[in-house]
């Protein structure tokens, strides 16, 4: 124990003296988590998880535009109304093509009159004989930024199409109600005797008979919160920062190996495992501080940047255990890099590349479900994925410790394997 | 040359090391990857209790490889090493407890102070409490660095670093002190101090195995000298005996006679 304590104290002293290195270790993930979360808030907006602004120009100023506005009020589209006296189609086209807005909707002049006329003519045809007459659809013009994401484009189009279909259906039903009332009157029946409720028909048809009930992924989880970039990004980028400590750990080992220190240590009555443990304990402290800093940024700085705060409402001990085991996995990897590489240049290049790759396939940068099938299968080999899945299970899905034991086991196993391999390499490196 | 006859490579009549034998190496062979020439080739050596043995050789002769194997840093491809009768395979930990190594490259943490370095390495030697405090103080006095105890090693001159490097090697009061070129790149004053201290340590009973390519240094310090070349011990004996037996005027002449005048750039 004395030797482990000595090794840990020495590492902490070395870290304290390398203030620039320490600053980078804390600043890098802190800056990343703020930037990426801010950017992802915007991506969520673009992918429809938040309201999307849609330019709306009503050149007709009739009932059709009003109905459409009313229908769209309940969707995720945020209408920006342009004054028809000052703007025209060319302006809306320019605004969308220029990237200022992604979507623009124009109700052409005379659209309401054409729509009313066509609806009125719907049932004025040859007493059931011959083919139904061809109807002329009234067009509402849609302008879409060519650079718009496909998901957003179909989302916006679907909502507009749904609104137009509803308006059309309501108009048809109103017309049908009128025709029915006239038919009943011609037959001498009282309107109350009609099996269909006349002018109340559209309201009747709006009553839902089928419903789509949305649930969170797991019904057994208590306290599950809606998917938010903050709850995803804070642990994700904290993990990224933790695994980046692998590079300074490798650097410290290579500094020892490339000086007389390693020879001296090898000649002393002390196992390399003791020295590795000292490093792991010291850098685990660094990783814990990193996570704490990023969590504090999430909790207190994010709200002032217009982002929702990071919250840890449940299972704090399970979260702490996840942080500890993720840190150990990162330290193990750093120790392995320090023994496997021959120079700091090698270790920093291999270390940064492998950590970025592990972060990318592990779901830190893009959620795993959004990846191609091959990458989704690959993601299970990334230690960052194990840590991130554990954090998501705790913070987003509301699971308890028992549900994340498999991921924690993988992180512990990774630490054990990397340290044992390093021990083996230390023997070879003698 | 009588003293060295039984040590000649290939001699099948090597005696068993006696009870006073601290270092006993038999027929060591070591090859490095990507090098056809062996670094050590049938290297055999005995160092007795209380000896100050100097291993002299040109660059690439195998000095550092020899002491690396003798201190258990890595094993030989073949041959055997015993330190006080113990082998590294069986009693590595026990051997390391009685061994002090001063590596050629400075084995100190630059950003730690002299005291912090001594404290760390002392604890790794298993020393603790009051004894550790005493050993650190003795180490600082030995290295004449008491006034610089709280200064980072990075601020030290090469001579100061070399002295501290030596002091760290003495922390566990070793029975066998192995020094690999401990005076490289330092001024005459520091070299003189180190020489005097090594003589004193040796007088107190510590066996010393010392590698150098400074012939005068070996002549001044060592009770016995071995000349290594191409991985073999080509000659050994006391400086006086070697000169008498070889008929050469000085050790440098003998050294060049044995190892040749060709440059060793490997």
């Amino acid at each position: 124990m004395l030797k482990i304590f000595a090794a840990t104290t020495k590492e902490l002293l070395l870290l304290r003296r390398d203030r620039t290195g320490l600053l980078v270790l804390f600043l890098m993930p802190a800056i990343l988590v703020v930037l990426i979360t801010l950017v992802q808030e915007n991506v969520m907006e673009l992918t429809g998880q938040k309201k999307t602004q849609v330019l709306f120009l009503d050149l007709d100023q009739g009932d059709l535009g009003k109905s459409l506005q009313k229908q769209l009020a309940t969707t995720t589209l945020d209408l920006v109304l342009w004054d028809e006296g000052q703007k025209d189609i060319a302006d809306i086209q320019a605004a969308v093509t220029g990237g200022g807005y992604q979507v623009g909707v124009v109700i052409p002049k005379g659209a309401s009159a054409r729509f009313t006329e066509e609806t009125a003519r719907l049932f004025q045809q040859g007493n059931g004989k011959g083919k139904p007459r061809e109807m002329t659809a009234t067009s509402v013009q849609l302008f879409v930024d060519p650079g718009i994401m496909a998901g957003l484009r179909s989302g916006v189009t679907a909502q507009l199409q749904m609104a137009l279909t509803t308006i059309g259906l309501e108009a048809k039903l109103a017309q049908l109600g009128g025709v029915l009332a006239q038919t009943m009157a011609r037959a001498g029946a009282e309107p109350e005797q009609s099996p269909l409720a006349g002018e109340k028909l559209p309201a009747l048809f709006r009553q839902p008979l089928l419903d789509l009930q949305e649930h969170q992924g797991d019904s057994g989880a208590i306290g599950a919160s809606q998917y938010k970039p903050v709850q995803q990004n804070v642990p994700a980028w904290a993990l990224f920062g933790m695994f980046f400590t692998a590079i300074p750990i490798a650097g410290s080992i290579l500094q020892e190996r490339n000086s007389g220190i390693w020879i001296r240590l090898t000649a002393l009555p002390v196992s390399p495992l003791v020295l590795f443990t000292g490093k792991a304990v010291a850098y685990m402290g660094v990783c814990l501080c990193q996570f704490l800093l990023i969590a504090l940024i999430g909790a207190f700085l994010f709200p002032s940047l217009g982002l929702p705060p990071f919250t840890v409402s449940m299972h704090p001990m399970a979260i702490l255990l996840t942080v500890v085991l993720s840190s150990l996995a990162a330290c193990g990897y750093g120790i392995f890099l320090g023994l496997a590489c021959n120079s700091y240049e090698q270790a920093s290049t291999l270390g940064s590349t492998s950590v970025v790759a592990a972060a990318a396939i592990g779901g830190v940068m893009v959620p795993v479900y959004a990846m191609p099938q091959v990458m989704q299968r690959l993601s299970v080999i990334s230690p960052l994925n194990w840590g991130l899945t554990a954090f998501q299970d705790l913070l987003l899905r509301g699971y308890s410790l028992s549900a994340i034991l498999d991921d924690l086991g993988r992180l512990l196993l990774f630490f054990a394997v990397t340290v044992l391999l390093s021990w083996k390499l230390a023997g070879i490196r003698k | 040359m009588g003293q060295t006859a039984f040590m000649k490579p290939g001699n099948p009549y090597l005696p068993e090391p006696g009870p006073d034998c601290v270092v006993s190496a038999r027929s060591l062979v070591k090859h490095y990857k990507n090098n056809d020439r062996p670094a050590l080739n049938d290297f055999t050596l005995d160092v007795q209790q209380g000896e100050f043995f100097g291993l002299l050789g040109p660059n690439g002769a195998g000095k550092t490889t020899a002491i690396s194997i003798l201190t258990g840093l890595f094993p030989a491809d073949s041959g055997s090493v015993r330190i006080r009768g113990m082998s590294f395979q069986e009693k590595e930990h026990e051997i390391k407890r009685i061994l002090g190594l001063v590596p050629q490259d400075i084995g100190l943490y630059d950003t730690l102070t002299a005291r912090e370095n001594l404290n760390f390495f002392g604890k790794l030697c298993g020393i603790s409490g009051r004894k550790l405090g005493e050993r650190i103080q003795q180490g600082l006095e030995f290295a004449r660095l008491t006034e610089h105890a709280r200064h980072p090693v990075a601020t030290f001159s090469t001579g100061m670093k070399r002295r501290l490097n030596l002091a760290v090697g003495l922390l566990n009061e070793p029975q066998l002190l192995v020094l690999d070129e401990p005076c490289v790149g330092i001024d005459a004053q520091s070299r003189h101090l180190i020489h005097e201290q090594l003589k004193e340590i040796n007088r107190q009973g510590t066996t010393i195995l010392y590698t150098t390519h400074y012939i005068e240094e070996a002549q001044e310090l060592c009770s016995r000298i071995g000349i290594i070349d191409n991985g073999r011990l080509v000659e050994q004996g006391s400086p006086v005996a070697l000169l008498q037996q070889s008929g050469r005027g000085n050790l440098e002449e003998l050294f060049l006679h044995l190892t040749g005048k060709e440059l060793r750039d490997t």
Side-chain angles (χ1 to χ4, degrees):
Chain A
M1 279 307 286
L2 172 79
K3 291 180 183 180
I4 292 176
F5 181 72
T8 306
T9 312
K10 180 264 296 179
E11 290 299 333
L12 290 173
L13 274 172
L14 290 174
L15 273 167
R16 207 179 74 185
R17 305 276 155 82
D18 182 17
R19 287 185 188 157
T20 315
L22 211 53
L23 199 66
V24 170
L25 273 181
F26 286 106
L27 270 186
M28 185 265 296
I31 291 171
L32 280 175
V33 75
V34 174
L35 287 179
I36 302 292
T37 309
L38 281 168
V39 167
Q40 284 198 351
E41 273 286 304
N42 195 39
V43 169
M44 286 184 74
E45 192 173 310
L46 290 174
T47 50
Q49 290 189 47
K50 290 183 89 177
K51 288 212 164 195
T52 307
Q53 288 195 319
V54 174
L55 279 181
F56 193 87
L57 179 62
D58 189 357
L59 297 172
D60 179 55
Q61 293 293 309
D63 289 340
L64 181 59
K66 289 188 183 80
S67 299
L68 189 55
Q69 280 184 49
K70 194 177 156 193
Q71 286 292 326
L72 293 177
T74 55
T75 64
T76 60
L77 303 181
D78 184 15
L79 297 187
V80 178
L81 302 176
W82 268 12
D83 187 348
E84 53 92 25
Q86 295 168 344
K87 304 281 184 184
D88 58 16
I89 293 182
D91 291 327
I92 211 163
Q93 202 164 10
V96 171
T97 312
Y101 291 88
Q102 275 67 51
V103 184
V105 173
V106 177
I107 313 288
K109 219 173 200 49
S112 295
R114 269 198 306 281
F115 173 63
T116 311
E117 192 183 324
E118 282 298 305
T119 311
R121 286 166 56 192
L122 185 67
F123 298 103
Q124 294 173 0
Q125 44 190 316
N127 299 322
K129 294 175 183 173
K131 286 183 182 176
R133 56 172 292 202
E134 288 289 318
M135 303 297 292
T136 310
T138 305
S139 292
V140 170
Q141 289 177 301
L142 177 67
F143 295 90
V144 184
D145 179 359
I148 193 174
M149 291 161 77
L152 176 60
R153 184 188 190 119
S154 29
V156 170
T157 311
Q159 292 191 70
L160 283 166
Q161 194 61 59
M162 174 69 84
L164 291 174
T165 305
T166 306
I167 293 167
L169 188 62
E170 284 185 357
K172 285 174 185 171
L173 288 170
Q175 190 64 24
L176 178 62
V179 169
L180 275 171
Q182 285 171 14
T183 310
M184 295 285 291
R186 277 203 295 274
E190 291 298 319
E192 293 77 26
Q193 291 176 312
S194 171
L196 297 173
E199 68 275 3
K200 292 177 190 165
L201 201 58
L204 198 65
F205 271 83
R206 259 183 248 128
Q207 300 292 324
L209 291 176
L210 291 170
D211 187 24
L212 188 66
Q213 271 196 324
E214 195 179 338
H215 293 277
Q216 296 290 331
D218 185 83
S219 56
I222 303 161
S225 62
Q226 201 185 349
Y227 182 82
K228 293 171 189 163
V230 167
Q231 296 296 95
Q232 149 89 8
N233 283 339
V234 166
W237 291 99
L239 272 172
F240 186 68
M242 284 182 207
F243 273 84
F244 248 90
T245 57
I247 296 167
I249 295 174
S252 76
I253 292 176
L254 282 158
Q255 192 188 6
E256 289 170 347
R257 279 180 51 202
N258 295 332
S259 67
I261 296 170
W262 188 256
I263 293 172
R264 168 158 276 149
L265 291 172
T266 310
L268 291 175
V270 59
S271 162
L273 285 178
V274 169
L275 302 170
F276 297 161
T277 308
K279 280 190 196 295
V281 171
Y283 278 91
M284 197 174 70
V286 172
C287 292
L288 284 169
C289 292
Q290 270 182 334
F291 187 84
L292 186 66
L293 173 74
I294 293 170
L296 289 173
I297 287 174
F300 298 106
L301 179 66
F302 278 11
S304 62
L305 296 174
L307 296 167
F310 173 69
T311 52
V312 179
S313 53
M314 298 181 66
H315 314 301
M317 289 315 291
I319 289 170
L320 180 66
L321 192 61
T322 309
V323 177
V324 167
L325 290 174
S326 302
S327 310
L328 282 179
C331 293
Y333 184 55
I335 292 167
F336 173 73
L337 273 181
L339 269 302
C341 297
N342 288 321
S343 67
Y344 181 72
E345 289 72 22
Q346 266 182 24
S348 59
T349 308
L350 180 63
S352 51
T353 309
S354 57
V355 170
V356 169
I361 64 168
V364 169
M365 295 162 185
V366 176
V368 173
Y369 65 78
M371 295 178 188
Q373 281 291 317
V374 181
M375 297 310 288
Q376 285 188 25
R377 279 197 288 272
L378 257 181
S379 71
V380 296
I381 63 164
S382 165
L384 277 91
N385 178 257
W386 308 333
L388 189 57
T389 307
F391 278 125
Q392 285 175 343
D393 283 349
L394 294 170
L395 293 167
L396 293 168
R397 301 184 184 107
Y399 288 158
S400 61
L401 177 64
S402 58
I404 59 164
L405 285 177
D406 53 345
D407 286 316
L408 297 189
R410 285 187 195 105
L411 288 167
L412 189 61
L413 187 67
F414 181 79
F415 170 67
V417 169
T418 47
V419 168
L420 285 175
L421 280 175
S422 307
W423 187 35
K424 198 79 189 158
L425 279 172
I428 296 166
R429 296 296 189 197
K430 276 180 173 182
Chain B
M1 300 284 262
Q3 193 179 355
T4 61
F6 75 94
M7 300 300 289
K8 290 291 185 187
N11 189 328
Y13 305 109
L14 291 170
E16 282 298 306
D20 283 343
C21 190
V22 177
V23 178
S24 166
R26 292 286 179 275
S27 305
L28 298 180
V29 176
K30 180 71 185 177
H31 283 90
Y32 289 118
K33 275 182 193 167
N34 307 322
N35 198 341
D36 294 337
R37 203 165 55 91
L40 283 187
N41 186 11
D42 202 11
F43 179 88
T44 295
L45 172 73
D46 280 342
V47 179
Q48 306 299 324
Q49 166 66 42
E51 271 195 314
F52 198 135
F53 189 92
L55 198 56
L56 263 174
N59 292 334
K63 299 188 295 292
T64 300
T65 302
I67 65 157
S68 297
I69 293 170
L70 296 178
T71 52
L73 295 183
F74 51 75
D77 297 339
S78 64
S80 69
V81 174
R82 289 193 169 266
I83 306 295
R84 285 220 169 273
M86 300 179 284
S87 73
F88 280 100
Q89 288 80 6
E90 294 160 2
K91 303 212 167 169
E92 183 177 359
H93 234 59
E94 283 78 353
I95 294 173
K96 285 180 174 179
R97 277 186 215 286
I98 60 165
L99 185 74
L101 174 66
V102 180
Q104 182 176 347
D105 295 325
I106 304 285
L108 302 167
Y109 291 97
D110 261 1
T111 51
L112 299 189
T113 65
R115 183 180 290 280
E116 287 164 348
N117 268 289
L118 288 163
N119 183 56
F120 169 62
F121 288 112
K123 282 179 178 165
L124 288 194
C125 289
I127 312 166
S128 60
R130 186 185 292 175
K131 191 178 176 196
L132 178 62
E134 287 169 9
R135 295 299 302 151
I136 291 171
Q137 198 50 42
Q138 286 166 8
L140 288 168
E141 285 165 13
F142 174 87
R144 303 283 200 274
L145 290 171
T146 311
E147 286 177 16
H148 302 276
R150 293 181 186 279
H151 296 172
V153 169
T155 63
F156 288 3
S157 68
T158 309
M160 291 161 85
K161 286 180 185 174
R162 286 270 171 216
R163 274 147 40 205
L164 185 61
N165 204 32
L166 176 56
V168 171
L170 291 167
L171 271 168
N172 62 337
E173 298 175 285
Q175 294 176 29
L176 171 65
L177 179 63
V178 180
L179 304 109
D180 191 7
E181 312 256 11
C183 294
V184 171
I186 58 174
D187 59 21
Q189 287 77 11
S190 282
R191 191 183 305 124
H192 174 73
L193 177 68
I194 289 175
H195 286 180
E196 290 306 308
Q197 286 169 328
L198 288 177
K199 283 180 198 166
E200 180 55 29
I201 292 163
N202 182 238
R203 265 196 295 274
Q204 289 169 8
T206 305
T207 306
I208 295 177
L209 177 56
Y210 188 98
T211 77
T212 181
H213 53 248
Y214 295 132
I215 294 162
E216 327 78 67
E217 194 174 69
Q219 193 165 5
E220 179 198 341
L221 293 171
C222 301
S223 53
R224 203 152 62 92
I225 288 169
I227 296 173
I228 183 173
D229 195 25
N230 294 321
R232 287 168 187 258
L233 206 58
V234 291
E235 193 61 274
Q236 62 174 314
S238 70
V240 175
L242 283 175
L243 287 175
Q244 280 176 353
Q245 287 157 10
S246 66
R248 303 280 163 178
N250 57 53
L251 271 181
E252 186 163 340
E253 270 184 41
L254 173 64
F255 183 82
L256 290 172
H257 168 71
L258 290 169
T259 61
K261 292 182 181 175
E262 283 174 34
L263 292 174
R264 305 298 178 91
D265 292 333
T266 54

